[in-house]
């Protein structure tokens, strides 16, 4: 299993792409190349972190969510909202206004994802205790991190905590609850409002479970705009929104950096931002770090508050959530309306469903499946690297000299793609100027290499 | 294939560099992740031993489709009693080294438990040679 491509939510629109290569330079797994003046994504290397989306100057990269109107395919339309959504809005806008706005858009129920924390918290502590021989355990919360481990740190896949994140638990709960209230399976549409591409990819092709129970995904910036418009126009008075219960203080901060680590017993450490995560996992893989029980790893700076689809300033969002949590803590963490059947009353059912299946490695580093072939290619790789200038200019259409060497070995590129090599070959007479222009056109597109388009 | 890494005694900030570089090689060669882990753990421990105890050292690795052979030779104080050094928890590391989180006396036992073969030769006042071997196919 898992040998096929990952599903990716990141979509590169060739007709918009100007081939500026910004995305290529920032991709932490070197998954992007430029060919014919357009960025191309290697689906086997991409982990859906969304760094490319952040830097694209022309919005050529889109994150594919579902059509909003898909919600109307269902009679019960449930919006699953992560706590950070509330943190996107200015502080004078209340939670009630926001929920009412969501309901105005056509949702029948609104539910906060982090209610699932009430179930996960105990399960997580049981899991860390039951797996004492496996250290450090790595949280399954961030789907980009799970995929990063699969492709870049295959020996650490066993360290991933095989428990569903709060999102899945919340979705399971709401479905069960709606069914108990008389709805049928196909009447229930659960829509997740996502702060990032990785969560979409995880829902469309889940790792560690068979299929997802979430019916659709809506990008957070899309919903933010729709709700904010309603509020700006005078607001909704549709205040009776089913499903709302106050989150506990620790649930509010769960998706922020340190939110999970604070609730797991033992020596825990929280790290955010994908390069930081990579740097730390290198050490974990070497077993240089042996005294940590639990690692909370998040691909985005400031965790989900820094998600690529979270339009608010990530520091303000984090701050708002902490303030909301402080208020909650002050009021006491377990109130809730008694007439509502809270998630904890489904605890047993939900815990039965809480396990994920094994996560498999999908190494991107290998030269070849066959080791003797891989050794030949590695020798070739080392020889090639000596010929290249090691300036990582990216003019060859690969992000680094190392990446170009790998591509050449895998027959995806040529040594003469390197502009330094081209100059030397030109001087030697083994390539003509029109040869090298042709090479550059193949990489950067005809238009960019057309002398009449810009220099006339 | 042959690889060589020079190790500087006392430079703890660089300890683990050779292990990291060789780990990348093994990943690229599609070596089984479990064997990669065993190899890198043993190599890392041995590398740290040179950093912690010796003046300098060199790691030479020979690799083919059958086996990984690692030779770590250092110039250093040597080990007077190898059998004693192999015991779990036995350590001659200085308090400074221990403060940095090294020197718990688990290095050699850890190499032993991960390697398929381990051989240590040492001459007091001159240095130590550690040979570690792994087989790729059972």
């Amino acid at each position: 299993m898992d040998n096929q491509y990952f599903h990716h939510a990141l979509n590169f629109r060739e007709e918009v792409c100007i081939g500026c290569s910004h995305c290529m330079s920032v991709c932490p797994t070197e998954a992007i190349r430029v060919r014919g003046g357009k960025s191309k994504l290697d689906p086997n290397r991409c982990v859906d972190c969304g760094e490319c989306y952040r830097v694209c100057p022309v919005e050529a990269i889109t994150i594919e969510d579902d059509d909003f109107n898909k919600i109307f395919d269902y009679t019960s339309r449930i919006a699953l909202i992560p706590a950070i959504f509330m943190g996107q809005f200015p502080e004078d806008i209340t939670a009630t206004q926001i929920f009412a706005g969501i309901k105005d858009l056509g949702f029948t129920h609104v539910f906060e994802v982090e209610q699932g924390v009430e179930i996960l918290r105990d399960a997580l502590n049981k899991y860390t205790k039951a797996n004492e021989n496996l250290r450090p355990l790595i949280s399954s919360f961030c789907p980009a991190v799970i995929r990063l481990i699969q492709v870049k740190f295959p020996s650490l896949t066993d360290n991933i905590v095989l428990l569903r994140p709060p999102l899945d638990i919340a979705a399971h709960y709401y479905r069960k609850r709606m069914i108990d209230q008389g709805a049928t399976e196909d009447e229930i549409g659960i829509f997740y409002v996502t702060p990032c591409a990785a969560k979409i990819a995880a829902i469309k092709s889940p790792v560690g479970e068979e299929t997802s129970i979430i019916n659709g995904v809506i990008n957070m910036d899309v919903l933010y705009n729709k709700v904010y418009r309603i509020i700006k126009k005078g607001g909704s008075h549709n205040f009776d929104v089913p499903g709302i219960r106050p989150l506990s203080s620790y649930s509010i901060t769960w998706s922020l950096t340190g939110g999970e680590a604070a609730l797991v017993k033992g020596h825990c450490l929280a790290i955010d931002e994908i390069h930081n995560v990579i740097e730390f996992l290198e050490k974990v893989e070497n077993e240089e770090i042996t005294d940590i029980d639990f690692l909370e790893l998040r691909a985005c700076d400031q965790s989900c508050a820094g998600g690529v689809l979270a339009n608010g300033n990530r520091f303000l969002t984090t701050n708002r959530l902490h303030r909301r949590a402080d208020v909650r803590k002050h009021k006491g963490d377990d109130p809730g309306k008694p007439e509502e059947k809270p998630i904890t009353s489904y605890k047993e059912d939900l815990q039965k469903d809480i396990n994920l299946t094994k996560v498999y490695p999908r190494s991107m580093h290998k030269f070849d499946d066959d080791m003797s072939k891989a050794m030949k290619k590695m020798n070739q790789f080392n020889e090639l690297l000596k010929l290249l200038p090691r300036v990582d200019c990216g003019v060859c259409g690969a992000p680094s000299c190392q990446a170009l060497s790998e591509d050449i070995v895998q027959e995806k590129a040529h040594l003469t793609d390197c502009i330094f090599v081209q100059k030397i070959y030109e001087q030697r007479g083994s390539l003509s100027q029109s040869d090298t222009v042709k090479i550059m056109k193949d990489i950067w597109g005809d238009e960019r290499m057309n002398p009449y388009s810009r220099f006339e | 294939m042959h690889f060589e890494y020079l190790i500087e005694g006392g430079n703890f900030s660089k300890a683990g560099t050779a292990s990291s570089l060789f780990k990348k090689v093994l990943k690229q060669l599609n070596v089984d992740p479990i064997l990669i882990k065993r190899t890198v753990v043993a190599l890392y421990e041995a590398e740290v031993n040179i950093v912690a105890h010796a003046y300098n050292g060199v790691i030479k690795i020979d690799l083919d489709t059958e086996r990984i052979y690692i030779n770590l030779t250092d110039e250093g104080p040597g080990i007077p009693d190898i059998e004693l050094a192999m015991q779990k928890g036995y350590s001659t590391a200085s308090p400074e080294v221990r403060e940095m989180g090294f020197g718990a006396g688990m290095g050699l036992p850890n190499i032993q438990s991960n390697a398929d073969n381990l051989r240590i030769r040492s001459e007091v006042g001159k240095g130590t040679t550690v040979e570690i071997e792994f087989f790729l196919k059972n």
Side-chain angles (χ1 to χ4, degrees), chain A residues 77-282:
Chain A
R77 302 178 285 274
I78 297 123
L80 266 185
I81 309 284
I84 57 146
F85 183 65
M86 319 299 281
Q88 307 298 304
F89 294 86
E91 281 189 46
D92 56 340
I93 293 172
T94 65
T96 320
Q97 279 177 296
I98 297 167
F99 283 133
I102 296 169
K103 209 183 163 198
D104 259 20
L105 292 168
F107 284 104
T108 56
H109 299 74
V110 184
F111 192 63
E112 282 190 276
V113 169
E114 286 81 3
Q115 295 282 1
V117 169
E118 303 299 338
I119 306 297
L120 180 58
R121 185 165 71 139
D122 290 350
L124 196 50
N125 278 306
K126 270 186 203 151
Y127 191 98
T128 50
K129 209 170 171 192
N131 291 281
E132 259 172 345
N133 54 333
L134 215 54
R135 287 294 185 268
L137 288 168
I138 299 170
S139 166
S140 59
F141 178 86
C142 177
V145 168
I146 295 185
R147 288 177 175 216
L148 178 74
I149 291 171
Q150 284 184 290
V151 301
K152 215 174 157 77
F153 301 97
S155 70
L156 294 176
T157 47
D158 287 342
N159 295 53
I160 297 169
V161 172
L162 296 176
L163 294 177
R164 291 178 190 280
L167 168 62
D168 295 22
I169 299 169
H172 268 278
Y173 158 66
Y174 225 80
R175 189 167 287 276
K176 278 182 203 294
R177 190 180 126 173
M178 296 298 287
I179 285 170
D180 283 357
Q181 288 176 0
T184 60
E185 276 285 353
D186 51 354
E187 284 173 347
I188 307 167
I190 298 183
F191 289 81
Y192 174 57
V193 179
T194 185
C196 68
K199 299 259 194 208
I200 304 181
I203 287 167
K204 302 290 178 186
S205 70
V207 175
E209 59 177 332
E210 301 304 318
T211 50
S212 177
I213 53 152
I214 291 154
N215 303 82
V217 186
I218 293 159
N219 288 349
M220 187 171 284
D221 53 352
V222 171
L223 192 73
Y224 173 82
N225 286 335
K226 285 181 191 286
V227 172
Y228 202 44
R229 177 180 292 170
I230 289 176
I231 294 169
K232 280 285 153 195
K233 276 185 175 167
S236 163
H237 298 287
N238 206 350
F239 286 156
D240 175 31
V241 189
I244 298 178
R245 293 178 56 82
L247 283 175
S248 56
S249 59
Y250 48 83
S251 302
I252 293 169
T253 53
W254 184 266
S255 66
L256 302 178
T257 306
E260 247 178 303
L263 293 189
V264 178
K265 293 192 185 90
H267 184 182
C268 301
L269 180 62
I271 296 169
D272 60 10
E273 205 278 325
I274 192 153
H275 296 93
N276 297 337
V277 168
I278 290 171
E279 182 194 329
F280 199 80
L281 286 176
E282 292 277 352

Side-chain angles (χ1 to χ4, degrees), chain A residues 152-155 159 282 285-288 365-369 371-372 374-375 378-379 402 406, chain B residues 1 3 15-16 19-20 23-25 27-31 33 37 40-41 44 63-65 136:
Chain A
K152 215 174 157 77
F153 301 97
S155 70
N159 295 53
E282 292 277 352
E285 200 177 41
N286 291 3
E287 298 203 2
E288 286 175 49
H365 285 290
K366 60 187 176 191
F367 279 114
D368 204 291
D369 286 327
M371 196 178 159
S372 57
M375 290 172 98
M378 181 178 275
N379 279 328
Q402 212 164 347
E406 280 174 29
Chain B
M1 297 183 89
F3 301 88
S19 311
S20 279
K23 177 181 71 183
K24 188 158 188 225
V25 168
K27 280 188 189 178
Q28 288 172 320
L29 293 177
N30 199 32
V31 173
K37 205 166 183 182
V40 172
V41 169
Y44 176 72
L63 171 69
D64 57 37
T65 52
L136 273 80

Side-chain angles (χ1 to χ4, degrees), chain B residues 18-79:
Chain B
S19 311
S20 279
L21 290 171
F22 190 62
K23 177 181 71 183
K24 188 158 188 225
V25 168
L26 295 176
K27 280 188 189 178
Q28 288 172 320
L29 293 177
N30 199 32
V31 173
D32 172 37
I34 295 163
L35 180 59
I36 294 182
K37 205 166 183 182
R38 282 171 51 209
T39 309
V40 172
V41 169
L43 178 58
Y44 176 72
E45 295 286 4
E47 186 184 346
V48 168
N49 278 345
I50 296 180
V51 176
H53 299 289
Y55 316 127
N56 60 68
V58 58
I59 302 176
K60 293 179 183 173
I61 303 175
D62 284 301
L63 171 69
D64 57 37
T65 52
E66 309 285 320
R67 66 163 201 164
I68 303 167
Y69 168 79
I70 305 172
N71 180 308
L72 304 102
T73 299
D74 70 48
E75 287 174 22
I79 306 169

Side-chain angles (χ1 to χ4, degrees), chain A residues 45-59:
Chain A
R45 286 182 166 233
C46 172
V47 299
D48 290 278
C49 67
E51 293 301 310
C52 51
Y53 177 90
R54 286 184 211 274
V55 297
C56 181
V58 294
E59 296 182 19

